[in-house]
Every structure is written in C-alpha cells, then in structure tokens.
Amino acid sequence: MDEKALAERFGIRVCQEIHQFPFVRDKVNIVPYLLAKQRKAIPLEETPLGVAVAISDPLDLETIAELKLLLKKPILPVYATKEAIEGAIERCYHQKDEETRRLFSELAKGEASLDGSFLEEYDLLQQSEENPIIRMVNTLLLDAIQNGASDIHFEPTESGLSIRYRVDGILQQKHTPPREYQLQILTRLKVMAKMDIAEHRLPQDGRIKLRQGGREIDFRVSTLPIVYGERIVIRILDKGNVVLGLDRIGMGERLLKTMRKLVHMPEGIVLVTGPTGSGKTTTLYSALSEVNDAEVNIITIEDPVEYKISGISQVNVNPRIDLTFAKGLRHILRQDPDVIMIGEIRDRETAEIAIQASLTGHLVFSTLHTNDTPSALTRLADMGIEPYLLASSLLGVVAQRLVRKICPNCKTSYTPSLEERKELNLSKEGIKLYKGTGCSGCFGTGYKGRVALYELMPVTGKIKEQVLKSQDAEELRKVALSQGMVSLFACGVEIALQGVTTSSEVLRVTRIEEEL
C-alpha cells in the first residue's frame, strides 16, 4: 500500500497542492530549517484546532510528536508528496528579497575578513552565523536562483563592483556592494570554484556544486582580467528548471509532428541553429530524450557537458589535451553508436566527419550559429562541404529564438496602432495585442519566463534540387516558404496574437532575419 493510500486509510487529509496555504504562500517559517528538511514536514496554517502540518509519511508519529512539543499546539497532519514538501520548504526558507541589501549594509558597518574554509557541497538554505562575506555570497547565489537568473555578472568598475543578473535573457542591475569588499567577494567566489586565488592576470574556469533544499545546482564560473580587476560571470545550471521533451518545449502541433518524424529517422543529420542563449542545447537534449532507449546507443560530445542525462554517454571537449570535437568524434564512431550529438560544428573537419557518420548509418544531431534555417546550408557550403553531400545527408534544420512571456499577473490587452500593425504585417483592424504593466511578481518588467520561436525546414526533394543548383540562402528560403515553412517572424506574430508575448519582443529577436 502506497503512502497516499495509507493516509486515506487513517483519515489523514490528502493535499496535492500545498503552495496556496497561508504559511507557504507568505513564506512563514515557524520551525527550524534543519527540522523541516530532515523530517520532510512543514507547517501550512494555524487553525482554532491546531497547526496543519504537511508530512510525507503518514506513519511518522515521531515527527508529529516532536512538532507538537516544539509548537506547544495540537498538530493536524496533512499528507503531501516529498516533492511538494521540498518545494514548499525551498519557498519558505528562502531569504527575503531585502536580505541581500541588508547584508550589504551590515558589511558597510562592520569589518569582514575572508575565511578560506570551503565545503565542496553544502545547502544554500542552511544559513548560520558565518563570516559575513560567506553569508553574503551564499545569499547572492540564492537570490539569483529565486529571481530565475541564468547568469550572474560581477564586474569591477571605477566606482565599485557592479552585480547584474541575466533574467529571461536580459541583464538587470541588482546590487552594488561597498568597494572595500570587492576583492573579498571575488576571492570567495574563486575559492568556491577551486581556482588559483593568487592568479589575477590570466582567465580561469571553474565549477561550483551546491544544494538548494532538495535539489542540486551547478554553477559554471569564468574569470576575465579587466582594467579594474577580475570580472567573474557565473552560469547557473539548475537541473530543476530543465524541461526536456519535444512536447514540452513549446513546439506547435504541426511542427512537433514533423520534428518527431525527423528524430526517429535511422540515419542523417538534424541541425539546430540560433545565437548563443537561444535554447539550442535544450532542443537537442529534448530530441535525445525522445529516442533515448535501452536498445539505442547514444553518445554526445559537448563543450562543456551542461546537464547529465541518464542512459546517455557524454564526452567533454578538452583542448588542453587535444580532445577536440573532430578527434572525439572519430573515437565515438568506434564505440558502435546509433545516435551521436555534437555540441557544435565549428570547422570543416568536424562537419566532414559528421556527414560521413550520417551516411554510414548514424543519426547525428548538432548545432550551428546561423540566423535562420537556409543559412545553415550556406554556412556548411562555405566550410567546403560538397553540395551533393549536403543534399544526401541533411534531414532538416531548426532555427530558434527565445522571447519573454508576458507576466500573467499583470497582463492587459490593447489595440495596436497602424504603425505597429504594419511592423507585424497585420492588415486587419480591430485586433488585440497584449503587454504586461509590471508587478511584484515580475519585478516590474511585465515579463515572466520565456518561450521559443521555431522555424523548421525539412530537406525535401525541392530543397535538395535547389542545394545542387545553388546554396544561396535567399533562394533556399524562397523554396522552403513555398513548401510550407513557417518563418521565425510568422511564428512570433502568431504567439503575439495569442497573448503569449509582446510585439516588441517578436521584433527584437526576429528583426535581423526580416532585414536580411
């Protein structure tokens, strides 16, 4: 009998969603963090009958007794899953938004010395009376995660240290700590990333592995010497926020059907294109998860491996020991793979090996940095790949961009002006578009989260004919559009009309494509 059935049998209330209870919603914590974490139990609300507490084990009478003794009130158990309780604990015990600023003001009043001690992995939510620099750095990392940041920028300037978060693809100024603590903050980050703290002249790379409540989070750290000191950028690799699966990354029904057909082909190349930070890696991982099976041997070579996926062998590129994409790919082909994922095709050698692999019975996924789908074929031709090889090996090309979604809490509709309708190629009058006015939930930006725009070009017979004639991107685009391809711009306009994003976001990420 499972835990839920046990709870129902003993008459314990079962609740699947506990985030709407007052204590969780308002981030009220009335028991110590370690107790909540270890016992997988969290108070939800106080009623005239006692304190409602979410528990994951209906038979854990010891925890109920301990909480009754601690709170000095009757305990009303409520059953919830471990995942739901861990999420509620993470919310309740996260530092409030003002905590970081308060710590900065504390630093300005007192003295702080750097403690070099470092635990390789510890819980960010488990705050203690540590050195104020350590507490402040921990709180900064926690604050960035809570804000949904993908990167944290620590940039020394003439006036002090500027700390910015990249949220939904846009940099936002967040904090400016006292100048006298700049070196200590940056040194602490280097200590955590196991870098050489005595080296200030050369760039360095490192990683930090920490926990936030029940989930592990990796941080990729990069330093760069600049005029006013060392600039540090931290990429946050939060596995808890990764959504994998072609049906879960925002592809439309028609596009999803075509994409699934491509990724289940026995051999050939599928390319994903777009600028840095456009979600190419997530799309590739989603494609891999679609074909991930015990009967399929999948090997990837990446620079670096960002997320580890069960059932897939992943190789890290390492130029220091001459493990390049091309060299690694040659050895991967000796491992009897069925599916190969190459992080990026950067040169002719890698492109040639990938094409040969696809022609000898392997399905190959990879990325290119181009603006749209037809330009991918032009880029490969510029690398020196023969047109007949492109026509015979390529299955399809996906181009994508990420646009910010309108915050659902402050979303409003409006009637666009004639000029705005012209920019979106909308001739019909009386249509409605949407925008966010800004609220506390979206930190006043009007946006919360991101969604992808896609452009998928299957390499059909007509496309192959055009490739053999000419690899000109504009000619290829005309043929692809005549074959039914929906452009990035058209995809953006469609979701803007649906109220998912704004017209300004669509124009921001697709303007280059339209001006080509």
Side-chain angles (χ1 to χ4, degrees), residues 267-317:
E267 59 189 51
I269 298 180
V270 177
L271 294 175
V272 180
T273 73
T276 300
S278 59
K280 299 188 298 297
T281 302
T282 300
T283 300
L284 284 177
Y285 283 164
S286 296
L288 290 178
S289 67
E290 188 81 13
V291 297
N292 191 5
D293 188 89
E295 298 176 353
V296 180
N297 182 19
I298 303 175
I299 305 179
T300 76
I301 181 163
E302 307 169 57
D303 183 22
V305 173
E306 292 193 5
Y307 300 105
K308 297 173 185 176
I309 305 176
S310 177
I312 297 177
S313 301
Q314 296 170 274
V315 179
N316 243 327
V317 166

Side-chain angles (χ1 to χ4, degrees), residues 14 42 52 94 136 142 145 183 220 265 291 296 308 416 448:
V14 175
I42 185 168
H94 185 278
M136 192 272 295
L142 203 54
I145 295 167
L183 180 60
R220 200 168 70 218
M265 296 292 283
V291 297
V296 180
K308 297 173 185 176
K448 194 172 183 63

